[in-house]
Every structure is written in structure tokens, then in C-alpha cells.
Amino acid sequence: MVKIGILGVGTVGASVANILETNADILEARAGKKIVVKSGVVKNLSKDRGVSIKLSDNPSDIIDDPEIDIVVELMGGVEEPYRLVKQALENGKAVVTANKALLAYHRYELQEIAGNTPLMYEASTAGGIPIIGALRNGLTANHIESIQGIMNGTTNYMLTKMINEGALYDDILKEAQALGYAEADPTFDVGGFDASHKLLILASIAYGIDAKPEDILIEGIENINQTDVAFAKEFGYEIKLLGIAKKVKEGVELRVHPTMIPASSMIAKVDGVMNAVSVVGDNVGETMYYGAGAGGEATASAVIADIVDIVRGNQDPMLGYKKPLETGMELLFESEIVTNYYLRMSVIDQSGVLAKITKALETFNISIESMLQKPHRDDELVKLLFTTHACQEEKIQEAMIALKKLNCVHGEIAMIRIEK
Ligand code: HSE
């Protein structure tokens, strides 16, 4: 018999306990051993968790219990779970965690501490989708050319409602929170941080890159408005918050930002709380993974997959490398990213204004691909929307500063990156 202790019995923890109980027969058949939850640890013992397992408020009851074989960490946060996971590994216990923030900061240290003790984290990225297993195992014969994915259910839910139903940002965020999709602090979702944690985990497996969130470009969906949505529709794009890892000649681009993508692409059709990840390998070509990226049961499904894998004897290192990559990939600076851009600005409706704007862009060697001018109803300003041909991030940033200095440009300039 294998005994489990769960640190954090919230939505996911309760689902793990309940599924292990209700699906005990099939899990025993698949794992070869009976799996039981011995106890769970929570901060507040008076709250009903909807589980039949024994609960305590002392993590030591799990970490230091010699009977417990596998510690499942579902607490959230970074430093406290880091301390507890470290202690559990040092005590020789296998660990399963769904904690992407913990892994975004400490995955390499934890791998080092774990050594040959299993440390698994399928549920940390894209909820129920087995994307980590796919990268570590199924795609191991490939150099990974790119990973592109909708890795945050909350923002995908919000964007879908904003785009398809014209829903208002604040209302729809409240709805996502009520449905249990959003992080405890939803800034993690809307600001792109949650997606960045997941992207960094995948980038470690695909490229061996040990980057932290502060090392990469992260932008959220806070500034998307209905003008952008209308432009995207008119020009055949969808807007999605994507995590992108792309191998180019000089290194690897890692970035999270709202992205205009062709409406005809598969990923553009992924709506609501669903996640999807496209991975291109040099041998396999494009592969695509789709499923629920948030929610108790979907995430618990991935947690339990790891538990079963450990019970079956899988001792593979968490990042998928038995020795370091000889030709390590370099993370490119934000300024080196090359892509197409959409710009939105308000300008005075007078002759010569467009010439001034195109002149400013010419200075940075930026070429316009398409353009749309929308009159404002109530004043003399018009909205100027355009897309550019591919150019370097550094150039577009400099061009935006130059454009803002023009007298004919009023207020902020919004920018959305485009992936063709
Ligand atoms: N808040 C996350 C999301 C939950 O919306 O995708 C799963 O990580």
C-alpha cells in the first residue's frame, strides 16, 4: 500500500482525495498497488473541505510521518511550500506538486535536492493536459522548434466573453473568480504571470533554460479594448493570451502577451476556460494538446497521474535531462524578439498627420502592412490602427516613444504582438 499526505486541501486537494477514493479500483489496477490518502494539512480546520480524510493544521504531521510515501503539495505561494517540499525530499519522500509559482522560481534547486527521489509536477502546467509528459517522454526524440499555448484558463475565458459577447472586463473577471478558475490574487492571471510560470516550466524541459519570470517579457490582457477586438475581427485575427517559446538562430525567445493570431489557426478556436498547447518538433512536426487548464477535477487528474507514475517506479528527473544539455540554449533579450505588431493610437484629424506618422516609422525602418482609420464620434480625434511587417521589438519600442512625442498623437499608444 502507498500512503499519501496532502499539503493544502482546497479545491484541487479535495478532488485528489475524492478521486483517489472513488476510483480506487482502477488506480490500484493501473499502479499495481493500493493508494490511500493518510492525511491532509490545512490552515483553517474549521472550514468544511468535503473530504473524508483526516485533517491536521501541522505540516510536520505529513512531512515527518514515516508512513507517508508521497507528499502532494497543493498549498500555493512560493516560500512556505519551498521549505516544506525541500524538507519532504530531504526526508526521502517523493513529491508531487501542482505549484507553478514554486517551480517558476525553484525548479532547478528542487531538482538538485531531489536527486533520485521522484519530484513530479504534471498539474503545474495547463491543468489536466498531460503536456509535461508529452515533452519529457513522447517528444523526447525532437529538438523543440516552438511551443505556443493558451496556458491560462481565466484570461481565455475572459477574452472569449469579451470578444464573442462584448462582455465587460470587470464583470467577466468576477465571473471567472466565482467559477473557481482564477488564482487567489487574479492579477496573476490577468497580468500574464501565471502563464509565464507555466511557460518557464515547459522551457526548462524543452530547452534546459533556467530563467525566472523577471527575465522574460510578460504582458497581461488589462489594456485590450473593444477597438482592438473589432480590428482583429476585420483583419481575420483572434486575440489570445499566449505563452510563446521559439527557437531562432540566435537563441530562444520566451514571452507571454496578448497576441493576434490568424482566426483560422487551431489555437484561435480554443475558447472559454480551455487551454491548448502547440509544440513543434524537428522530427514530429506540429503536435497539439487541448483540455481543461483549470478546475479541481481536471487538475487533480494530472496530480493523480504523477502519483501513479511514481508508484509504478518512474524515477526520471523532473526536467527530463539525465545530464545537462551540452549545447545550452541562450535566452534572448526582450529587445531581440522579432515579430509583427499592431498599434492603436488617437491622432488629430488633419492633413499631413499620416505622413508624420509614416515618416516616424520609416526612421526605424518599420514598414506598415495594413491600416484602418476610425473617426471618433464626439471630437476631432480619430483612431489610427495599423499592423507592421516583422521588425525587432527594440525598434517598435523606440518608434512608439517617437510617435508619442508627435503633437498630432494624443494619449497612450497600445501595441499587440502578432504571430502569423
Ligand atoms: N488560474 C489558473 C488559470 C488556474 O486560470 O488557468 C490553473 O493554473
Side-chain angles (χ1 to χ4, degrees):
M1 184 191 294
V2 173
K3 292 195 177 160
I4 311 285
I6 305 178
L7 297 173
V9 189
T11 320
V12 178
S15 294
V16 169
N18 291 331
I19 296 171
L20 282 173
E21 201 178 314
T22 46
N23 286 4
D25 50 352
I26 197 167
L27 290 168
E28 184 176 350
R30 287 182 173 149
K33 285 185 189 157
K34 199 173 171 63
I35 302 169
V36 291
V37 180
K38 183 172 178 199
S39 55
V41 164
V42 293
K43 288 221 158 74
N44 176 3
L45 277 171
S46 55
K47 197 166 153 189
D48 179 22
R49 311 278 165 171
V51 289
S52 57
I53 59 171
K54 196 177 91 194
L55 294 176
S56 129
D57 58 3
N58 182 2
S60 169
D61 289 345
I62 285 179
I63 306 288
D64 300 315
D65 179 345
E67 281 195 3
I68 287 189
D69 306 290
I70 303 176
V71 173
V72 176
E73 186 279 305
L74 303 169
M75 305 168 58
V78 176
E79 293 317 320
E80 194 188 0
Y82 175 63
R83 190 174 51 78
L84 295 174
V85 165
K86 186 168 172 263
Q87 239 175 298
L89 290 167
E90 284 166 352
N91 287 352
K93 298 187 188 309
V95 172
V96 173
T97 178
N99 190 333
K100 54 248 161 172
L102 167 70
L103 295 164
Y105 284 97
H106 295 298
R107 60 201 181 284
Y108 283 82
E109 289 150 84
L110 288 173
Q111 167 75 80
E112 192 71 26
I113 296 162
N116 289 328
T117 304
L119 166 62
M120 300 187 70
Y121 51 95
E122 181 61 74
S124 65
T125 300
I129 304 175
I131 184 65
I132 300 211
L135 273 174
R136 267 168 45 130
N137 304 316
L139 300 177
T140 200
N142 293 266
H143 286 105
I144 303 302
E145 310 282 359
S146 68
I147 301 172
Q148 201 178 72
I150 296 170
M151 300 176 186
N152 181 271
T154 302
T155 44
N156 204 44
Y157 183 80
M158 291 174 69
L159 285 172
T160 302
K161 292 263 179 172
M162 282 162 69
I163 292 169
N164 296 353
E165 297 168 23
L168 295 177
Y169 184 96
D170 289 332
D171 296 346
I172 213 68
L173 174 58
K174 281 199 194 99
E175 207 177 300
Q177 285 176 295
L179 288 165
Y181 304 148
E183 297 300 301
D185 173 0
T187 345
F188 273 86
D189 297 294
V190 295
F193 304 105
D194 174 77
S196 81
H197 296 160
K198 297 164 181 170
L199 179 71
L200 290 170
I201 295 167
L202 297 183
S204 302
I205 306 168
Y207 305 110
I209 290 184
D210 182 10
K212 305 268 189 295
E214 43 277 18
D215 302 327
I216 69 167
L217 189 159
I218 305 171
E219 279 176 19
I221 64 164
E222 302 94 328
N223 296 324
I224 307 273
N225 70 22
Q226 287 299 337
T227 306
D228 309 325
V229 168
F231 177 91
K233 279 191 180 150
E234 192 156 341
F235 283 81
Y237 292 113
E238 277 286 344
I239 304 176
K240 296 288 181 192
L241 181 76
L242 292 189
I244 298 172
K246 204 192 272 182
K247 193 170 80 164
V248 294
K249 214 163 68 230
E250 302 77 15
V252 177
E253 293 179 3
L254 291 183
R255 45 196 168 101
V256 173
H257 50 72
T259 316
M260 287 194 185
I261 46 172
S264 57
S265 65
M266 275 168 79
I267 221 157
K269 301 187 195 322
V270 174
D271 281 343
V273 72
M274 303 310 272
N275 282 196
V277 187
S278 147
V279 182
V280 179
D282 58 351
N283 293 306
V284 73
E286 183 174 16
T287 59
M288 178 104 179
Y289 309 84
Y290 168 87
E297 283 168 0
T299 311
S301 162
V303 169
I304 294 171
D306 279 348
I307 295 175
V308 170
D309 221 12
I310 292 169
V311 177
R312 284 169 172 162
N314 184 351
Q315 301 282 313
D316 288 345
M318 67 180 279
L319 298 174
Y321 297 100
K322 293 228 186 228
K323 57 179 204 158
L325 277 177
E326 275 163 28
T327 48
M329 303 278 166
E330 287 295 320
L331 172 65
L332 292 180
F333 291 114
E334 285 181 30
S335 56
E336 296 174 285
I337 290 166
V338 175
T339 193
N340 300 61
Y341 296 87
Y342 155 88
L343 296 179
R344 159 172 47 90
M345 63 193 78
S346 290
V347 299
I348 300 171
D349 194 6
Q350 279 173 8
S351 66
V353 163
L354 210 50
K356 283 184 191 143
I357 287 168
T358 50
K359 181 84 200 137
L361 290 171
E362 190 195 356
T363 316
F364 299 95
N365 213 8
I366 296 171
S367 158
I368 294 175
E369 186 197 47
S370 64
M371 209 185 75
L372 192 66
Q373 183 169 310
K374 294 248 177 198
H376 282 208
R377 256 181 232 133
D378 306 323
D379 55 30
E380 76 282 13
L381 294 178
V382 287
K383 277 187 187 148
L384 200 55
L385 317 167
F386 54 86
T387 63
T388 72
H389 287 285
C391 71
Q392 213 174 4
E393 179 85 14
E394 188 177 25
K395 294 288 169 216
I396 202 83
Q397 295 289 356
E398 285 172 3
M400 283 166 66
I401 294 170
L403 287 169
K404 265 190 78 176
K405 284 188 187 146
L406 296 176
N407 289 336
C408 56
V409 176
H410 283 222
E412 293 303 311
I413 300 175
M415 177 261 272
I416 301 177
R417 295 171 190 82
I418 303 172
E419 287 293 312
K420 299 267 185 181

